[in-house]
Amino acid sequence: MFEDLIRGWDGEETLVHYDAPTDTWMFICIHSTLLGPAAGGCRMKTYESTDDALRDCMRLAGGMTLKNAVGGLPMGGGKSVIAVSEVPPPGSERRAEIVRRFGMMVGSLKGSYWSGPDMNTSSADMDEIYRVAPYTFGRSPALGGSGD
């Protein structure tokens, strides 16, 4: 149950969003902003349950806190998960719509979380997020990023 997972987690902030137009659950977990804005990739995946998706996001966000700190980066740790019933193919309009709508969620945080590519996401997806929110890593070189 979401409430138990969130209350028991040692992170700072959890965003849970059900996007009705795309029938998609979206999660952003900010584990730590002690060293700077939270940063971590966005995973698009099918899960057995929404609880599993949230649990994965929390686990990965904690790992990003450690990874960014060990790397000496001025960033905290965060992660995001787009939980889909089926991963839409790259280049499809459905995928672009899901990713743009997720981008609005990222934008609502006003820079406290920066997203990058992860499992089943790419620089093309980061470009879609960038169209609605500038807080992305791994964009295509055409949009000022480093690519995949």
Side-chain angles (χ1 to χ4, degrees):
M1 181 164 223
F2 285 171
E3 293 95 358
D4 294 336
L5 288 172
I6 294 168
R7 282 191 186 110
W9 188 50
D10 66 343
E12 294 176 8
E13 186 172 359
T14 306
L15 277 74
V16 176
H17 174 68
Y18 174 70
D19 189 69
T22 61
D23 188 30
T24 303
W25 284 94
M26 301 173 183
F27 304 92
I28 298 175
C29 294
I30 296 174
H31 184 260
S32 174
T33 56
L34 184 64
L35 298 177
C42 175
R43 172 173 288 201
M44 185 183 296
K45 184 179 167 183
T46 300
Y47 289 87
E48 288 290 319
S49 70
T50 52
D51 283 357
D52 288 344
L54 177 58
R55 191 176 292 109
D56 196 28
C57 194
M58 291 173 162
R59 177 184 63 81
L60 294 164
M64 288 307 301
T65 295
L66 298 174
K67 184 177 181 179
N68 290 336
V70 167
L73 300 174
M75 300 171 174
K79 204 70 167 184
S80 53
V81 164
I82 300 173
V84 292
S85 58
E86 183 178 322
V87 176
S92 68
E93 182 50 41
R94 172 163 170 69
R95 184 185 185 100
E97 181 182 4
I98 289 169
V99 172
R100 278 191 304 269
R101 295 179 72 80
F102 170 74
M104 290 187 283
M105 189 175 168
V106 171
S108 75
L109 293 170
K110 302 192 183 321
S112 64
Y113 170 73
W114 285 68
S115 186
D118 192 52
M119 180 186 291
N120 293 323
T121 60
S122 67
S123 62
D125 297 312
M126 297 307 108
D127 288 353
E128 287 297 329
I129 293 171
Y130 186 70
R131 288 172 183 23
V132 296
Y135 312 109
T136 61
F137 297 105
R139 297 183 305 276
S140 67
L143 291 180
S146 60
D148 284 331

